[in-house]
Amino acid sequence: MSSIPKIVILGAGYGGVMTALRLQKQLNYNEADVTLVNKHDYHYITTHLHMPAAGTDSPENARVSISKLIDEFKIDFVKSTVVQIRPQDRKVILEDGTLSYDYLVIGVGGEPETFGIPGLKEYALNIRSINSVRLIREHIEYQFAKYKREPHRTDYLTFIVGGAGFTGIEFVGELADRIPQLCREFDVDPQLVKLINIEAAPTALPGFDPELVEYAMDVLRKKGVTFRIGTPIKECKPDGVIVGEGEEIKAQTVIWTGGIRGNRLIEEAGFETMRGRVKVDEYLRAPGHDNVYVVGDNSLVFNEEGRPYPPTAQIAMQQGVAVAHNLVASIRNQALKKFEYKHKGTVASLGKGEAIGIAFGKKYKGWTAAQLKKLIDLRYLFIIGGIPLVLRKGKFF
Amino acid sequence: MSSIPKIVILGAGYGGVMTALRLQKQLNYNEADVTLVNKHDYHYITTHLHMPAAGTDSPENARVSISKLIDEFKIDFVKSTVVQIRPQDRKVILEDGTLSYDYLVIGVGGEPETFGIPGLKEYALNIRSINSVRLIREHIEYQFAKYKREPHRTDYLTFIVGGAGFTGIEFVGELADRIPQLCREFDVDPQLVKLINIEAAPTALPGFDPELVEYAMDVLRKKGVTFRIGTPIKECKPDGVIVGEGEEIKAQTVIWTGGIRGNRLIEEAGFETMRGRVKVDEYLRAPGHDNVYVVGDNSLVFNEEGRPYPPTAQIAMQQGVAVAHNLVASIRNQALKKFEYKHKGTVASLGKGEAIGIAFGKKYKGWTAAQLKKLIDLRYLFIIGGIPLVLRKGKFF
C-alpha cells in the first residue's frame, strides 16, 4: 500500500454518491485519494424515474450533475464505463483507462431480471436510467403519432407494464395520468387506449399491507388501469406478449419492471454471487476481499429472519454511510462497525396526489401519503445537495 | 335543380375555407344550402406546418377549429372523408354517407408527388397535415432517444430532407434550429448530427431570385445544413437513400418535400387531368362540368406565358374568393367573372429571425424578411378569423 491509500468508488448511484459525500466530509487532507467513476457526468434519482418515463415530468428533474454534488478538490471524478473488475490485481479496467486501488467500493447498479422469459431482453423497455426513460417517453408518444396514420392499429395504443411491484405500480400511476394528456394532444379517443399491468405473483405489491394494496388497485382502476394479477408473462414478442395459457395480447409497447439482478461485472470479477449479487459480510465487504465493499443493487443483506432486504434507495444510502465509516476506520486502523439496516418506511406514489405508504409504523394513503412521498424526496435532495439542490429541483417533486 | 340550390364544398383547406367564408358573407338567407365537408374538425395552416414538424412550435398553433371559423347557422359542417366524387350523378360518397349537390367545390388537397422514385411512398415522411407533422416530430425525437441506447448507430442522427423547394427549405431551416435543442435534451454531441438537403434540380428554390437563393443557402449552411444540389434521389430504403450514381446515405429519417400532385379522387371521378390536376376554365370550373369548381392543389391555372402557377396558399385563397363570387353569380343568374391571379410576393422562412422574399417588386432578406413573413401569416389569420384569431394564435407566428 502506498503512503496515501487509494479509494475507488464505482458508480454514482445512491450507494456510491453517499459513500463519496461522507468520505469527502470525514477524511482529513491527504488521508486518502478518492476517485469516483461513473458512466455519466450526472447522478440520477432512480425513485423519480417513473415520472419522466411516463412523460409527466422532465428527465432533467431526475438528475443532478455530479460536479454539483461532490467537491472536485477533494474527490477525483472520472466519466467512464467500467469494463472489468480485477480484485486479484486490485485494478479496474475502464473503457478508456485503468485504475488501481487499495480500497474498492462497487456500486455499479443492477440489471433487469428477466427470469429467462423469452423476448423480454430484446423487446421490452426498462425504467433504469435517464437514457432508458427518455426512450420510453419518446416511444409512447411515437405510438400515438403512428396510430393516427394507421387508425386500425389499436395495438399502438395498448401499453403493457410487466410487474406490479414498486416500480411497476408507480409507473402505471403516472402513465394513467399521462394518457388523457396524450389523447388530447394527438386527438385520440381515450376509450381506445389500454393500460394493462401484468403480474405473475398472486397480488400486486407483494409484501405490502393488503389493505393499502387494495386501495392502490382501486385508485389505479379508476384511472383506467386493467390488472392481470397471478398471470405470468410467458413470452415477449415484437408485437405483444403471451400470457397464462397461451393468450396473446397485441401491443407495440411492453415495459418490464419485474425485477433487478446483480450486474454481470460482479460475476465476471469472480465474486461469489446469488442471482448476480454478493452476499456481503457484516461490514459490507465481499467475502474473502477485505478491501472490497459492495453497495446497492449488487449487495445482498439479510434480515433477522434470514431473508434478503429488497434493493431500495433507502438501504443503498445507509450502506454508503456505513461503507464510508468503515473505509475511514480502516485507514485509521480503527475498529469497523457492523451494518444494520434501519427501515424507515415505504411510500409508493400512484400518480398525481395519490400514494400509499407505511412510515413510523403507521399506514398512510391518498393525499397525506403523497405529501409524505414528497417529503422523502425533498429529504433526499437535502442530504445529497443541501438547500441549494432542494431549491433547484424540489419544486418539481 | 331544387328550389334552394345545394352547394357542397369538399375540403377545408385554404381554397375551401375561403369559399365558405365568402359564401357565408355574400349569400342571402335561403338563397343556397351550403355544406362544408372535411376529414378533420379543424382547418390547418399548411404554410406553418414546417414548424410543428421540426418541433419548434406546437401543432396546436397550426390549426383552427372549423367551428371557430364558420357560422354553423349559415353553413352545415360534415366531418367525414370523401371516398368518391360522382359528377355524372351530382353526388359525393363519404365514408359515412352520401351528399348530393347542385354546385360542387373541390378543394380536397393534393398528394405527395414521388415521381415514381421507388420506396419514397413507403419509407419517407411527408409534411402535409397535423397528423403527419406530429409523426415527423415524434419520429425525430425518437431517433435521438434510440441513438442513446445504441451509440454506434449514427444513422439515427442523419436526417435527410428530399427536395429544396419552398417546403424543403423552410423545414430544413426549422430543423437546423431545433437540432441544438434536441442535442441538449438528449445529451448528444451536435457534431454527430447530419442534416442533408437533397435536390435533383440544378439549384435550390428553383425559380427564385438567384441572389436570395445564395443568401438562403449561406444562412442554412452556417446552421449546419449540407446541401446536395443537382443530386437526384434514386431510391428510398428503410435505412437510407441511394443518390446520384449509386451512392448510399444511411439514415433512419427521410422527409420528402419534392412536390405535390393532384388527389387520386380527381382522376377517379373521371375529370381530365395533368399530373392529377384539373386544367380549369377561366371561371375555375372543370371542363365540361359547369357546376364543378376546383381550387387549390387540384386546380391547374396557367399564366400568360402558358406555364402553370405553382400550388400555393396565396393562389388557393384567391381562387376561393373567385369561386364564391361565381357561385353567387350563378345562383342569381348574373355573369361569371374570370379568375385572374394576382401574385403579391413570396417569402420563405429560414428558421428563427431569418427569411428571404420578394414582395411589392422588392427583394427582402434577413430580419426584415422574417418580419414580413410574420405579417403575411397574421394577415391570413385576420382574413379567416378576424381579430380574435389573430390574438389567439398570432403570438406564436
Side-chain angles (χ1 to χ4, degrees):
Chain A
M1 200 181 282
S2 69
S3 57
I4 299 181
K6 289 181 73 174
I7 302 171
V8 170
I9 304 168
L10 302 181
Y14 289 94
V17 157
M18 280 309 292
T19 307
L21 287 173
R22 286 301 179 113
L23 285 178
Q24 175 174 301
K25 209 168 156 185
Q26 292 169 12
L27 283 172
N28 295 323
Y29 179 68
N30 260 351
E31 212 174 359
D33 233 22
V34 184
T35 303
L36 175 63
V37 178
N38 197 53
K39 204 172 171 175
H40 312 289
D41 56 9
Y42 53 83
H43 160 74
Y44 50 81
I45 300 158
T46 313
T47 58
H48 196 70
L49 287 178
H50 57 288
M51 292 185 71
T56 51
D57 194 9
S58 157
E60 290 311 309
N61 298 329
R63 67 174 171 181
V64 188
S65 166
I66 286 170
S67 64
K68 300 230 159 152
L69 292 182
I70 66 162
D71 179 349
E72 290 185 68
F73 286 104
K74 294 183 176 171
I75 292 182
D76 288 335
F77 173 65
V78 174
K79 179 175 174 280
S80 189
T81 300
V82 180
V83 173
Q84 199 190 14
I85 301 166
R86 289 197 192 157
Q88 63 286 7
D89 305 329
R90 302 195 162 196
K91 270 189 170 34
V92 175
I93 314 301
L94 304 179
E95 215 169 52
D96 36 21
T98 303
L99 289 174
S100 63
Y101 63 80
D102 299 307
Y103 296 98
L104 184 67
V105 182
I106 302 177
V108 287
E111 288 178 359
E113 171 64 273
T114 57
F115 303 106
I117 299 167
L120 269 188
K121 230 178 194 155
E122 293 78 7
Y123 307 123
L125 299 162
N126 301 288
I127 300 169
R128 54 187 294 230
S129 66
I130 294 290
N131 286 335
S132 79
V133 302
R134 282 192 292 221
L135 186 65
I136 291 173
R137 184 195 61 187
E138 294 302 336
H139 178 90
I140 291 171
E141 292 181 4
Y142 195 44
Q143 303 317 303
F144 278 82
K146 289 212 274 192
Y147 165 75
K148 292 301 286 188
R149 189 176 50 176
E150 297 171 84
H152 60 286
R153 291 283 302 274
T154 50
D155 57 325
Y156 284 135
L157 300 179
T158 302
F159 301 94
I160 291 177
V161 178
F166 217 81
T167 309
I169 287 290
E170 288 199 312
F171 175 66
V172 158
E174 290 304 316
L175 190 52
D177 281 356
R178 176 81 170 125
I179 283 170
Q181 296 170 8
L182 288 167
C183 286
R184 272 194 300 278
E185 197 180 330
F186 289 91
D187 307 317
V188 166
D189 177 359
Q191 300 293 325
L192 297 172
V193 181
K194 282 187 206 149
L195 174 50
I196 308 170
N197 192 188
I198 304 177
E199 168 63 52
T203 171
L205 293 168
F208 222 72
D209 178 88
E211 185 201 324
L212 292 179
V213 173
E214 205 173 307
Y215 177 83
M217 290 177 73
D218 269 357
V219 166
L220 296 176
R221 275 198 200 98
K222 277 183 195 133
K223 290 188 186 192
V225 178
T226 304
F227 285 100
R228 299 288 302 265
I229 304 297
T231 307
I233 291 178
K234 293 288 171 63
E235 190 183 344
C236 181
K237 309 210 290 180
D239 62 346
V241 293
I242 310 285
V243 295
E245 304 307 313
E247 179 195 349
E248 188 167 5
I249 308 175
K250 290 273 184 204
Q252 290 294 319
T253 309
V254 179
I255 291 139
W256 176 246
T257 70
I260 294 286
R261 52 164 284 130
N263 199 296
R264 54 160 192 86
L265 289 166
I266 307 296
E267 276 172 353
E268 286 169 12
F271 297 113
E272 203 182 298
T273 59
M274 268 180 71
R275 194 163 270 160
R277 294 194 172 107
V278 179
K279 194 181 154 181
V280 289
D281 70 13
E282 52 198 353
Y283 306 111
L284 299 174
R285 298 177 304 189
H289 299 269
D290 281 0
N291 64 334
V292 177
Y293 290 84
V294 188
V295 295
D297 290 350
N298 294 302
S299 162
L300 210 52
V301 178
F302 291 80
N303 66 13
E304 285 167 1
E305 289 121 49
R307 293 172 61 183
Y309 289 113
T312 61
Q314 198 177 159
I315 194 168
M317 286 170 67
Q318 293 183 23
Q319 287 176 323
V321 172
V323 166
H325 177 276
N326 284 345
L327 284 168
V328 173
S330 286
I331 288 166
R332 295 180 185 161
N333 285 315
Q334 295 167 347
L336 302 187
K337 216 160 79 180
K338 290 183 186 172
F339 174 66
E340 261 180 82
Y341 174 51
K342 282 180 200 73
H343 182 67
K344 292 181 179 164
T346 311
V347 186
S349 79
L350 306 169
K352 201 167 165 55
E354 276 287 357
I356 52 167
I358 292 188
F360 324 113
K362 272 182 68 180
K363 295 183 194 179
Y364 292 89
K365 58 191 178 195
W367 189 82
T368 324
Q371 298 313 303
L372 195 60
K373 178 85 183 173
K374 269 190 199 173
L375 273 177
I376 294 169
D377 288 342
L378 291 178
R379 182 175 166 272
Y380 176 66
L381 291 180
F382 179 73
I383 290 172
I384 62 167
I387 296 286
L389 189 60
V390 173
L391 293 179
R392 220 166 60 242
K393 305 267 177 186
K395 60 178 177 288
F396 303 108
F397 280 69
Chain B
M1 200 181 281
S2 69
S3 56
I4 300 181
K6 287 181 76 175
I7 302 172
V8 170
I9 304 168
L10 302 181
Y14 289 94
V17 156
M18 279 311 291
T19 309
L21 286 173
R22 286 301 179 112
L23 285 179
Q24 176 175 298
K25 211 169 152 184
Q26 292 169 13
L27 283 172
N28 295 322
Y29 179 69
N30 260 352
E31 212 173 0
D33 232 21
V34 184
T35 303
L36 175 63
V37 178
N38 197 51
K39 205 172 171 175
H40 312 288
D41 56 10
Y42 52 84
H43 161 74
Y44 52 81
I45 300 157
T46 312
T47 59
H48 196 69
L49 287 178
H50 57 287
M51 294 187 69
T56 50
D57 193 10
S58 157
E60 291 311 310
N61 298 329
R63 68 173 171 181
V64 188
S65 166
I66 286 172
S67 63
K68 301 228 159 152
L69 293 182
I70 65 162
D71 179 347
E72 290 185 69
F73 285 103
K74 293 184 177 171
I75 292 182
D76 287 335
F77 173 66
V78 175
K79 178 174 175 281
S80 190
T81 301
V82 180
V83 173
Q84 200 190 15
I85 300 166
R86 289 197 191 157
Q88 63 286 8
D89 306 328
R90 304 195 160 193
K91 269 190 175 31
V92 175
I93 314 299
L94 305 179
E95 215 169 53
D96 36 22
T98 303
L99 288 175
S100 61
Y101 63 80
D102 298 308
Y103 295 99
L104 183 67
V105 181
I106 303 178
V108 288
E111 288 180 1
E113 171 63 271
T114 57
F115 304 105
I117 300 167
L120 269 187
K121 229 178 195 155
E122 293 77 6
Y123 306 124
L125 298 163
N126 300 288
I127 300 170
R128 54 188 295 231
S129 65
I130 294 290
N131 286 335
S132 81
V133 301
R134 283 193 293 221
L135 186 66
I136 291 173
R137 183 195 63 188
E138 294 301 337
H139 178 89
I140 292 171
E141 293 181 4
Y142 195 45
Q143 304 316 303
F144 278 81
K146 289 212 273 192
Y147 165 75
K148 292 300 286 186
R149 189 176 51 176
E150 295 171 85
H152 60 285
R153 291 283 303 276
T154 49
D155 58 324
Y156 284 135
L157 301 179
T158 302
F159 301 94
I160 291 177
V161 178
F166 218 81
T167 309
I169 287 289
E170 289 201 310
F171 175 64
V172 159
E174 290 302 316
L175 189 52
D177 281 355
R178 175 85 168 121
I179 283 169
Q181 296 170 6
L182 288 168
C183 286
R184 271 195 301 279
E185 195 180 329
F186 288 92
D187 307 316
V188 166
D189 177 0
Q191 300 294 327
L192 297 171
V193 181
K194 283 188 205 146
L195 174 50
I196 307 170
N197 192 187
I198 303 177
E199 169 63 52
T203 171
L205 294 169
F208 222 71
D209 178 88
E211 185 202 325
L212 293 179
V213 172
E214 205 173 305
Y215 177 82
M217 288 178 76
D218 270 357
V219 166
L220 295 176
R221 275 197 200 97
K222 279 186 193 129
K223 290 188 186 193
V225 178
T226 304
F227 285 101
R228 298 291 300 269
I229 303 295
T231 308
I233 292 178
K234 293 286 172 63
E235 189 184 345
C236 182
K237 309 211 290 182
D239 61 346
V241 293
I242 310 287
V243 295
E245 304 307 312
E247 179 195 349
E248 187 167 5
I249 308 174
K250 291 271 183 203
Q252 289 295 316
T253 308
V254 180
I255 290 139
W256 176 247
T257 69
I260 293 287
R261 52 164 282 132
N263 199 297
R264 51 158 195 87
L265 288 167
I266 307 294
E267 277 172 352
E268 287 170 11
F271 296 114
E272 204 181 297
T273 60
M274 268 181 72
R275 195 163 270 159
R277 294 193 171 107
V278 179
K279 194 181 154 181
V280 289
D281 69 14
E282 52 197 352
Y283 307 111
L284 299 175
R285 298 176 304 187
H289 299 269
D290 280 359
N291 64 335
V292 177
Y293 291 84
V294 187
V295 295
D297 290 351
N298 293 303
S299 163
L300 209 52
V301 178
F302 290 81
N303 66 13
E304 285 166 2
E305 289 120 52
R307 293 174 60 184
Y309 290 114
T312 61
Q314 199 177 158
I315 195 169
M317 284 169 68
Q318 293 183 24
Q319 288 177 321
V321 172
V323 166
H325 176 276
N326 284 345
L327 284 168
V328 173
S330 287
I331 289 167
R332 295 180 186 161
N333 286 314
Q334 296 167 347
L336 302 189
K337 213 161 79 181
K338 287 184 187 171
F339 175 67
E340 261 181 82
Y341 174 51
K342 284 181 199 72
H343 183 66
K344 292 181 178 164
T346 312
V347 186
S349 80
L350 306 168
K352 201 167 165 56
E354 277 288 359
I356 51 167
I358 292 188
F360 323 112
K362 273 183 67 182
K363 295 183 194 179
Y364 292 89
K365 57 191 176 194
W367 189 82
T368 324
Q371 298 313 305
L372 196 60
K373 178 86 184 172
K374 269 190 200 173
L375 273 178
I376 295 168
D377 287 344
L378 291 178
R379 181 175 167 273
Y380 178 65
L381 290 180
F382 179 74
I383 290 172
I384 61 167
I387 295 286
L389 189 60
V390 173
L391 293 179
R392 221 166 60 242
K393 305 268 176 187
K395 60 179 177 289
F396 304 108
F397 280 67

